[in-house]
Structures are given as C-alpha cells and as structure tokens.
C-alpha cells in the first residue's frame, strides 16, 4: 500500500500531525481525522465523520459517524468513484496552490 504519513504542520487555524492515509483515500468535508489514526487505501471517510485517535479505517471501506464506524465495503463502481474523486481533488489542490489560493502563511 502506498501511504502518506503526515509531517506536523499548520493548516488553516489548526494543526495536523501523526496520521496515515493510504493511496486514493478520500476524506469528506468537515470530517476530522485525529492523531495516530489510519485511513486505508481507497477508503472513504464520510462528511462530518470523526475518526478517533489511534483507530483504523480499513482499505476499501466507507466509514461514517461520530466516532466513525465502517458501514460497508467498497467495490466495483463505488471503489472506482473514490479513486477518481481522490485524483481529481489532488489536481484541484495543485491548481489552486499554483494560483496562490489556499496558501497558509509561512508555507
């Protein structure tokens, strides 16, 4: 699994550190991923969900709620949608940053 371990840094008004995201993981709007949490490859964390500290969202699953719990396995078209959406958000992020949109002071 290709994974991304976050280096501690300031983002907006908060600070993010010490979590692990698998490739093509997608985090919904206003979701919170707390320290030492792991979100597996191709996983989808629903909007507004809270992934508790030290917990794991397994690869290719949908997790929702507070605290986030696995609701179902993702496969077929759902899994393709997560991967396509994750790639699209990365492209958008790079485009916005290239235009100076969303830069955090000190970056």
């Amino acid at each position: 699994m290709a994974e991304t371990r976050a280096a501690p840094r300031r983002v907006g008004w908060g600070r993010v550190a010490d979590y692990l995201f698998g490739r093509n993981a997608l985090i919904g709007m206003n979701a919170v991923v707390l320290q030492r949490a792991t979100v597996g490859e191709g996983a989808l964390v629903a909007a507004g969900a809270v992934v508790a500290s030290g917990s794991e969202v397994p690869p290719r699953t949908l997790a929702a709620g507070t605290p986030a719990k696995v609701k179902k396995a993702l496969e077929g078209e759902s899994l393709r949608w997560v991967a396509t959406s994750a790639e699209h958000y990365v492209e958008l992020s790079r485009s916005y940053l290239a235009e100076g949109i969303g830069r955090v002071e000190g970056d």
Side-chain angles (χ1 to χ4, degrees):
M1 170 165 106
E3 34 190 49
T4 302
R5 180 155 307 271
R9 64 182 223 125
R10 189 170 183 277
V11 176
W13 292 278
R15 180 178 161 83
V16 295
D18 198 24
Y19 54 80
L20 187 63
F21 290 146
R23 178 182 211 101
N24 290 331
L26 190 59
I27 311 301
M29 293 180 68
N30 293 321
V32 177
V33 178
L34 296 174
Q35 290 184 324
R36 297 180 312 281
T38 300
V39 179
E41 181 174 351
L44 171 59
V45 176
V50 177
V51 180
S53 180
S55 65
E56 178 182 357
V57 176
R60 296 171 298 284
T61 60
L62 164 66
T66 304
K69 294 188 184 332
V70 173
K71 300 299 181 180
K72 71 176 198 171
L74 297 174
E75 50 192 31
E77 188 58 35
S78 296
L79 192 56
R80 283 188 290 280
W81 180 86
V82 170
T84 300
S85 296
E87 291 168 8
H88 180 68
Y89 281 116
V90 169
E91 290 170 13
L92 284 174
S93 176
R94 288 182 179 143
S95 173
Y96 293 155
L97 288 172
E99 294 179 28
I101 299 169
R103 288 198 190 274
V104 176
E105 209 173 294
D107 278 354

